[in-house]
Amino acid sequence: MSKKEKISQIISRELLQLIESGHYLPGDKLPTEMELSKQFGVSRISVREALSVLRASGLITSRQGGGSYIEENTQSQILRSIHMKSDDVESIRHLFEMRKILEPEAAYLAATRRTTEQLSSMKHVLDKLEYGSLNAEQNHYTNDIAFHRAVILATHNPVMIHMMENLADLYERTLKVTLEPNKELKQKRESVYQEHCRIYEAIELEEPELAKVQSTIHLRNAEKKLSLFLQNYEI
Amino acid sequence: MSKKEKISQIISRELLQLIESGHYLPGDKLPTEMELSKQFGVSRISVREALSVLRASGLITSRQGGGSYIEENTQSQILRSIHMKSDDVESIRHLFEMRKILEPEAAYLAATRRTTEQLSSMKHVLDKLEYGSLNAEQNHYTNDIAFHRAVILATHNPVMIHMMENLADLYERTLKVTLEPNKELKQKRESVYQEHCRIYEAIELEEPELAKVQSTIHLRNAEKKLSLFLQNYEI
DNA sequence: ACCGGAAAATTTGTAATACAAATTTGTTGA
DNA sequence: TCAACAAATTTGTATTACAAATTTTCCGGT
């Protein structure tokens, strides 16, 4: 009754705890399977079973000959459960459709519930974008994501937050497209920045309907850029 | 460059497809590891690695000496990732908030894209509710869920579908509350049925805005019942 | 001193075999 | 018929071995 737990389960739980406690950090190399089997006093088979679980959960990756490494924060089992080609045009459209549904409402909720801390967090993100506008576009990605993330967090709805976390990496893909470097890049960035500012202002004023409208405008413009890009993309 | 995929990955993908295609149904017993290794022409080790992935994903369970079995539909890792008390009032409110955001838009999309097959599927569900109105309330749950599910499927948006699948079991909880048996139970059911019918009609007529409005009305009424219940619930 | 590339060491992936442990099935005896 | 025991099945773990990919070392040439 008591000892029905598999050895590999014990090992994987042990390793999970080491990862979650920060003993192993993202990017770190795990000990080799041999070392782990010595360390835990079990066979390499059991260690491999344990690692297999962590691999399936996306917490580590293993390269033959290389070793096993702690994965970066990778919460997005959605792309595995949906069979979404990463750069599939239809996938991008479907994702954007969800953004159009969720984000204006998130802005609405954020305007009704944001704390002053969350507000200043949003402002901090926007300011960083303004002063560092000469940086590479990589900076723009992370900044754009950070702003939207801040808005989502301000909704105080854990279900909403979880959903958007799940969509985060797919989300990045539409960003990458709408901010695709080309001749009007600077202009695009400026307009995106302005739109973000208007959303921020509405949230600051605690005017939910306005925030919703501004978010909708923002997404409408983003959709224009998106469809423009997708036109050139397919065929 | 081409053959960097592991054998175990091939096997697990193969098995996954067999499961998803319905070749193996929930509760079915998988062939033994020996049989699978013969069948695929690989070692038992590779089969075990593949099964380990499916186990980690919760698709199968294995008992020593017993065998491996297809697990019942258990997709809802959301309740584990969010720390949601199942009957927490705040959780229910948060979930319902998401329903109010997603479902009217789903009805909108369904009205623009539903196939005739999906339409008749919705009607089939509604009819079953009408004729079998004397059944137990358990029947009502599943029926209600089935209708909403049919609407979601008609959106043809895999991201939307996946999100709602994830919310499915949490979703049931709000249903359980709004359809809580009490003195006005029959009246409640009747009104829910009528509201569903109106949503259906709008989708049938391919009038997205109307479908959205009807869904909103439906949820507004549901919210009334919900808040009425929650009043009595907390303290 | 530096660079390229081959050789060696390391490390994961797969295989084969064996046995332990738990479950299922079959069988026997009362 | 049923209960207990035995046998067969099947997953879990261990050991050994080798293949395949990566990383490290080292050596020769410039």
Side-chain angles (χ1 to χ4, degrees):
Chain A
M1 198 70 103
S2 58
K3 200 193 161 297
K4 64 202 266 182
E5 195 175 28
K6 291 188 291 183
I7 293 183
S8 60
Q9 284 180 331
I10 299 175
I11 306 296
S12 72
R13 201 183 54 230
E14 208 82 23
L15 289 173
L16 182 64
Q17 200 163 9
L18 285 173
I19 294 173
E20 285 182 339
S21 71
H23 185 270
Y24 294 124
L25 295 173
D28 279 4
K29 185 176 182 302
L30 280 173
T32 66
E33 295 175 354
M34 279 296 290
E35 283 172 350
L36 286 173
S37 64
K38 287 255 180 192
Q39 182 177 326
F40 287 107
V42 299
S43 77
R44 198 184 143 211
I45 292 286
S46 298
V47 172
R48 280 186 65 78
E49 291 268 341
L51 293 181
S52 175
V53 173
L54 301 180
R55 240 189 327 263
S57 306
L59 279 113
I60 67 172
T61 54
S62 307
R63 288 197 308 280
Q64 184 175 185
S68 296
Y69 294 81
I70 306 293
E71 194 66 11
E72 313 292 334
N73 282 353
T74 171
Q75 62 228 69
S76 69
Q77 82 301 342
I78 187 176
L79 42 68
R80 274 186 290 282
S81 48
I82 306 176
H83 299 307
M84 255 183 166
K85 290 285 189 307
S86 55
D87 49 356
D88 178 20
V89 173
E90 275 310 298
S91 299
I92 293 177
R93 286 226 171 88
H94 287 139
L95 176 63
F96 199 84
E97 192 164 88
M98 294 309 292
R99 284 189 61 187
K100 284 201 295 182
I101 292 173
L102 289 172
E103 288 188 25
E105 299 295 338
Y108 180 99
L109 294 177
T112 67
R113 297 176 191 165
R114 96 285 189 288
T115 65
T116 53
E117 286 78 17
Q118 286 163 339
L119 192 68
S120 64
S121 160
M122 292 179 212
K123 182 151 187 56
H124 179 67
V125 171
L126 286 177
D127 287 350
K128 214 161 59 175
L129 200 62
E130 190 176 23
Y131 298 134
S133 63
L134 42 121
N135 293 30
E137 65 259 18
Q138 183 59 33
N139 211 328
H140 248 71
Y141 290 157
T142 56
N143 212 289
D144 198 316
I145 292 168
F147 178 73
H148 284 266
R149 189 184 172 79
V151 173
I152 301 296
L153 284 178
T155 65
H156 288 109
N157 185 327
V159 184
M160 171 73 87
I161 293 170
H162 179 268
M163 279 187 163
M164 295 306 284
E165 288 287 347
N166 254 4
L167 291 182
D169 68 317
L170 290 176
Y171 181 79
E172 288 186 46
R173 295 213 175 82
T174 68
L175 269 187
K176 230 172 247 181
V177 169
T178 55
L179 291 177
E180 188 74 10
N182 58 19
K183 50 183 179 291
E184 307 101 348
L185 176 58
K186 193 169 184 201
Q187 196 177 339
K188 271 188 192 174
R189 282 182 182 169
E190 182 61 23
S191 68
V192 167
Y193 174 70
Q194 291 297 339
E195 289 158 20
H196 280 184
C197 285
R198 292 205 193 93
I199 295 173
Y200 167 78
E201 287 158 10
I203 294 175
E204 181 184 27
L205 295 172
E206 302 186 33
E207 299 213 19
E209 286 295 346
L210 182 59
K212 187 171 172 178
V213 169
Q214 293 298 350
S215 177
T216 303
I217 292 173
H218 173 49
L219 284 165
R220 193 178 302 158
N221 290 333
E223 189 169 31
K224 280 182 198 160
K225 296 166 194 156
L226 183 66
S227 61
L228 205 68
F229 175 81
L230 292 182
Q231 266 183 344
N232 307 342
Y233 192 79
E234 46 191 351
I235 310 296
Chain B
M1 199 70 104
S2 58
K3 199 192 162 300
K4 59 195 228 176
E5 196 174 26
K6 292 189 291 183
I7 292 183
S8 60
Q9 284 180 331
I10 299 175
I11 305 297
S12 73
R13 203 184 51 232
E14 208 81 24
L15 289 173
L16 181 64
Q17 200 164 10
L18 285 173
I19 294 173
E20 284 183 339
S21 72
H23 185 271
Y24 295 123
L25 295 174
D28 279 5
K29 184 175 182 301
L30 280 173
T32 67
E33 296 176 354
M34 279 297 289
E35 283 172 350
L36 286 174
S37 64
K38 286 254 180 194
Q39 182 176 327
F40 287 107
V42 298
S43 77
R44 196 184 145 210
I45 293 285
S46 298
V47 171
R48 280 186 65 79
E49 291 268 339
L51 293 180
S52 175
V53 173
L54 301 180
R55 242 191 324 264
S57 305
L59 279 114
I60 67 171
T61 53
S62 306
R63 288 197 308 279
Q64 185 174 183
S68 296
Y69 293 81
I70 307 292
E71 195 65 15
E72 310 294 333
N73 280 354
T74 170
Q75 63 226 67
S76 68
Q77 84 300 344
I78 188 176
L79 42 67
R80 273 187 291 281
S81 48
I82 307 177
H83 299 306
M84 255 185 166
K85 291 285 191 305
S86 57
D87 49 356
D88 179 23
V89 173
E90 276 309 298
S91 299
I92 293 177
R93 286 227 170 86
H94 287 139
L95 176 63
F96 199 85
E97 192 165 88
M98 294 308 292
R99 284 189 61 187
K100 283 200 295 182
I101 292 173
L102 288 172
E103 287 188 26
E105 300 294 338
Y108 180 99
L109 293 177
T112 67
R113 298 177 190 163
R114 95 287 188 288
T115 64
T116 53
E117 285 79 15
Q118 286 163 339
L119 192 69
S120 65
S121 161
M122 292 179 212
K123 182 150 187 56
H124 179 68
V125 171
L126 286 178
D127 287 350
K128 213 160 60 176
L129 200 63
E130 190 176 23
Y131 298 134
S133 62
L134 43 121
N135 293 30
E137 65 258 19
Q138 184 59 32
N139 212 328
H140 249 71
Y141 290 158
T142 56
N143 213 289
D144 198 316
I145 292 169
F147 178 73
H148 283 265
R149 188 183 172 80
V151 174
I152 301 294
L153 283 178
T155 64
H156 288 109
N157 185 326
V159 184
M160 171 73 88
I161 293 169
H162 180 267
M163 280 186 162
M164 295 305 284
E165 289 287 347
N166 254 4
L167 291 182
D169 68 317
L170 289 176
Y171 181 80
E172 287 186 49
R173 295 213 176 82
T174 66
L175 269 187
K176 230 172 247 180
V177 168
T178 56
L179 290 177
E180 188 74 10
N182 57 19
K183 51 183 179 291
E184 307 102 348
L185 175 59
K186 192 167 185 207
Q187 195 177 340
K188 272 189 190 174
R189 282 183 183 171
E190 182 62 22
S191 68
V192 167
Y193 173 71
Q194 291 297 339
E195 288 158 20
H196 281 184
C197 285
R198 291 205 195 92
I199 295 173
Y200 166 79
E201 287 157 11
I203 293 175
E204 181 184 26
L205 295 172
E206 302 185 33
E207 299 213 20
E209 286 297 345
L210 182 58
K212 186 172 172 178
V213 169
Q214 293 298 349
S215 177
T216 303
I217 291 173
H218 173 50
L219 284 165
R220 191 178 304 158
N221 290 334
E223 190 170 30
K224 279 182 200 161
K225 297 166 194 157
L226 183 65
S227 60
L228 205 68
F229 175 81
L230 293 183
Q231 266 183 344
N232 305 345
Y233 193 79
E234 46 191 351
I235 308 298

